[in-house]
Amino acid sequence: MAFETDSLGFSPDWDVPVRYIDRTHAWYDALGTNNHYRYASFQDVPFTALSKPLSQCRVALLTTAAPFDPSKGQQDCKAPYNAAAKFYKAYSGDTSVDHDLRVSHVGIDRRQLTDDANCWFPLPALRRAAAAGLIGSVAPRFHGVPTNRSQRHTLEVDCPDILARCREDGVDVAVLVANCPICHQSISLTARYLEAAGIPTVVMGCAKDIVETCGVPRFLFSDMPLGNAAARPYDPASQDSTLALALRVLESAIASRTTVQNPLRWNGEAQWKHHVLNAAALTPEDIERRKAEQLAIKRTAHAIRDSAIAEKV
């Protein structure tokens, strides 16, 4: 991907990490919400050092992607936001077999999305890391982390559930992969919770401001469109290099709030950052259409959430 630069070789002024907190606030202001969502923010960040070399550790993989369910409508990369595919209870899957996980249920820029699940679910790369001796083993299960806007629910319900599942699996460390803006918050809260309980973590994500505002022990930041925190599409070399770098951050960090930026650059649309949640580009017609879509999404999501909560009672 080539940029126009001045005589000193500087990157364009706009080529900086997207500020998703500001953009989500502006976006929903444009839709008439006028109620800024407060993203989680902490001063103190827990930190647990590895108790043994990573080559001897059992590694858990945590994701916000959802299992494909054909009964829930279109869920491929061309699908519009599909609230029916959302989940509000943690789930687990066998890491010894392949899985079809999708991201149609989260808010990401679908112009930059493909159907390559390796971008958001690096289980194959984690298996290769185990075969290469980079890690001791892959935990017997991976775990799905719900993306709940309620931080209280995440901290009081989802995080204890995820911790219990990790402990059942004898996990030593965890790799957590985020997708949408709220996914980055849910994953960050989960990483903090696991770390406080003695399980070292590393977050892989693309929303730098959300993760760092929350405060996590270790963070591998990839300056790519949301939904591509684990790799560039259809690029096996980037799958392995990105995971290897995340594992290196996991093992080498000496203090909390350690952020390392992935040197890989996006190889798709050069100016993708201009399009992400760009409220200024919305026409009056766009705003009315988006308002109607948002209302329908909320109704569907609330029904699924309420049903999930009722099942827990």
Side-chain angles (χ1 to χ4, degrees):
M1 177 171 61
F3 296 116
E4 293 182 2
T5 59
D6 61 18
S7 60
L8 295 179
F10 291 171
S11 297
D13 290 343
W14 54 262
D15 187 29
V16 294
V18 175
R19 295 190 58 81
Y20 285 98
I21 293 176
D22 292 343
R23 291 210 189 182
T24 54
H25 286 167
W27 181 264
Y28 288 108
D29 279 351
L31 298 186
T33 302
N34 297 321
N35 183 18
H36 284 180
Y37 179 75
R38 184 181 179 189
Y39 286 87
S41 176
F42 297 91
Q43 289 185 345
D44 297 328
V45 179
F47 184 83
T48 299
L50 273 67
S51 61
K52 54 187 173 183
L54 190 57
S55 60
Q56 300 174 17
C57 288
R58 173 175 285 186
V59 182
L61 176 60
L62 277 60
T63 179
T64 58
F68 173 63
D69 182 344
S71 71
K72 295 181 178 179
Q74 186 180 1
Q75 294 156 67
D76 61 10
C77 68
K78 302 302 181 184
Y81 188 108
N82 186 350
K86 296 182 79 68
F87 64 96
Y88 285 98
K89 292 195 301 182
Y91 71 91
S92 300
D94 183 354
T95 57
S96 68
V97 298
D98 294 331
H99 297 266
D100 186 359
L101 300 190
R102 311 278 180 102
V103 291
S104 64
H105 64 299
V106 294
I108 57 180
D109 183 2
R110 280 162 170 75
R111 280 173 292 199
Q112 313 304 330
L113 188 65
T114 69
D115 284 323
D116 184 6
N118 292 289
C119 295
W120 58 80
F121 185 57
L123 178 57
L126 195 63
R127 291 185 190 135
R128 292 194 293 271
L134 297 179
I135 63 174
S137 64
V138 179
R141 299 183 298 174
F142 70 89
H143 307 295
V145 178
T147 56
N148 201 318
R149 290 176 64 87
S150 168
Q151 294 111 336
R152 183 177 299 277
H153 190 92
T154 298
L155 288 169
E156 296 181 356
V157 178
D158 298 330
C159 286
D161 188 0
I162 294 294
L163 174 61
R165 293 168 190 252
C166 287
R167 283 180 168 164
E168 287 173 9
D169 293 344
V171 165
D172 296 307
V173 299
V175 174
L176 302 88
V177 186
N179 290 297
C180 71
I182 296 298
C183 296
H184 281 77
Q185 176 180 252
S186 299
I187 283 292
S188 296
L189 293 173
T190 304
R192 292 174 53 88
Y193 195 91
L194 294 180
E195 199 89 19
I199 298 178
T201 64
V202 61
V203 171
M204 300 173 69
C206 300
K208 187 172 188 282
D209 60 329
I210 295 175
V211 175
E212 292 188 336
T213 295
C214 184
V216 299
R218 307 166 191 81
F219 175 38
L220 176 65
F221 168 60
S222 292
D223 195 9
M224 300 194 198
L226 299 177
N228 296 278
R232 294 188 299 208
Y234 308 110
D235 183 350
S238 75
Q239 299 166 21
D240 292 333
S241 67
T242 300
L243 180 64
L245 185 54
L247 295 174
R248 198 175 311 155
V249 174
L250 177 56
E251 187 167 37
S252 65
I254 60 174
S256 62
R257 293 191 182 274
T258 294
T259 296
V260 172
Q261 180 163 338
N262 189 345
L264 288 179
R265 299 302 305 254
W266 183 242
N267 57 356
E269 182 183 1
Q271 297 192 14
W272 64 269
K273 295 177 182 180
H274 287 305
H275 305 303
V276 181
L277 294 168
N278 186 353
L282 292 173
T283 66
E285 294 75 18
D286 289 333
I287 290 173
E288 292 306 312
R289 175 176 56 83
R290 294 281 187 175
K291 283 181 178 179
E293 291 173 351
Q294 188 65 23
L295 182 59
I297 287 169
K298 282 186 176 180
R299 287 173 176 165
T300 300
H302 287 174
I304 296 172
R305 182 197 62 191
D306 293 345
S307 176
I309 292 174
E311 290 178 7
K312 293 178 183 179
V313 176

